[in-house]
């Protein structure tokens, strides 16, 4: 079957299962519309300084983590079990068998196009949903607790901030913020094209 970009677990690592990523936030907005990076930048820039700090990026993490737990915890056990984790449509696609080929394909796309916006992923970005769950379940309880979810979101957003802060100034300008989005877009397009090329329509991945 053909896979949509939404089903590609690329940048989020294991955190695609839980994190509210910056691009995901950007997709929210008007009816079917996407908010421009500049609009999202202004929303995050709480002190209107014209630059984002890590603290601003991590604002309301506890609230976001609680909402994620509440949505997924259908049996009200205060943890997200594997079955609940896999119930999410975007967690039902396993590309692990294609991981090495996808990485090689994206590398070829970058080399052939010369597009430096394309980021070549590592094979672990395409780990199975079960592996991603296990990576998040740091206390080996068999469920994802609120502290584990909070840690996952914090780690993901911190990694994103560091990727944006290309000059290591400890803040992110609107230019860096926008460049990050452009890179993600180019990477998604390349990854989707590779998956469409490598995964047969009839293959029940």
């Amino acid at each position: 079957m053909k896979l949509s970009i939404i089903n590609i677990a690329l940048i989020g690592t294991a955190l695609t299962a839980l994190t509210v990523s910056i691009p995901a936030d950007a997709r929210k907005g008007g009816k079917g519309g996407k908010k421009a990076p500049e609009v999202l930048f202004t929303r995050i820039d709480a002190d209107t300084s014209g630059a984002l700090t890590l603290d601003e990026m991590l604002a309301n993490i506890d609230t976001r983590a609680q909402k994620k737990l509440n949505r997924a915890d259908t049996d009200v056990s205060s943890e997200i079990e594997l079955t609940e984790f896999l119930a999410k449509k975007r967690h039902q696609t396993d590309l692990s068998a294609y991981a090495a080929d996808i990485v090689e394909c994206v590398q070829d796309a970058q080399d052939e196009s010369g597009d430096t916006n394309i980021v070549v992923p590592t094979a672990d970005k395409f780990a199975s949903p079960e592996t991603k769950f296990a990576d998040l379940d740091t206390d080996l309880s068999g469920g994802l607790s609120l502290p584990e979810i909070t840690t996952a979101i914090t780690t993901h957003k911190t990694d994103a901030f560091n990727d944006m802060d290309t000059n290591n100034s400890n803040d992110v300008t609107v230019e860096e913020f926008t460049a990050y989005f452009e890179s993600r877009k180019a990477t998604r397009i390349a990854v989707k094209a590779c998956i469409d090329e490598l995964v047969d329509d009839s293959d029940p991945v």
Side-chain angles (χ1 to χ4, degrees):
M1 63 180 176
K2 296 292 184 183
L3 301 176
S4 70
I5 293 176
I6 295 176
N7 286 329
I8 300 170
L10 173 61
I11 301 299
T13 67
L15 308 180
T16 52
L18 294 171
T19 52
V20 180
S21 68
I22 295 168
D25 285 343
R27 287 193 293 270
K28 295 178 181 178
K31 297 180 179 179
K34 295 183 180 181
K35 289 192 178 298
E38 295 83 358
V39 175
L40 182 54
F41 181 94
T42 300
R43 178 190 297 173
I44 299 172
D45 184 21
D47 64 2
T48 65
S49 67
L52 304 182
T53 64
L54 181 57
D55 285 344
E56 287 174 322
M57 290 281 290
L58 297 178
N60 303 316
I61 288 294
D62 292 340
T63 300
R64 296 183 183 208
Q66 186 66 62
K67 286 181 178 179
K68 280 197 167 289
L69 176 60
N70 292 345
R71 285 197 297 266
D73 182 25
T74 55
D75 65 0
V76 198
S77 65
S78 297
E79 287 193 331
I80 300 174
E81 286 83 21
L82 179 59
T83 53
E84 293 170 326
F85 180 85
L86 296 176
K88 295 292 184 180
K89 184 177 180 180
R90 62 178 175 176
H91 304 158
Q92 296 170 0
T93 300
D94 186 352
L95 293 171
S96 57
Y98 300 89
D101 291 333
I102 294 171
V103 172
E104 182 178 359
C105 177
V106 175
Q107 180 67 69
D108 290 343
Q110 183 196 65
D111 293 342
E112 292 171 8
S113 68
D115 188 351
T116 57
N117 276 326
I118 297 175
V119 176
V120 180
T122 55
D124 65 292
K125 305 304 183 185
F126 304 99
S128 69
E130 291 80 5
T131 297
K132 293 174 183 176
F133 180 89
D135 288 343
L136 291 167
D137 183 22
T138 55
D139 64 4
L140 305 179
S141 69
L144 306 181
S145 64
L146 181 60
E148 288 172 325
I149 297 168
T150 302
T151 297
I153 298 175
T154 300
T155 300
H156 177 66
K157 285 189 170 289
T158 300
D159 288 344
F161 180 86
N162 291 334
D163 286 343
M164 292 179 195
D165 184 20
T166 54
N167 64 357
N168 299 314
S169 63
N170 294 321
D171 58 28
V172 172
T173 65
V174 67
E175 291 79 13
E176 289 174 321
F177 192 80
T178 301
Y180 175 80
F181 273 81
E182 290 300 319
S183 179
R184 287 183 63 94
K185 179 180 178 181
T187 301
R188 281 198 183 96
I189 291 172
V191 171
K192 182 182 184 300
C194 286
I195 291 175
D196 285 346
E197 176 182 333
L198 294 166
V199 180
D200 188 271
D201 287 347
S202 62
D203 194 347
V205 294

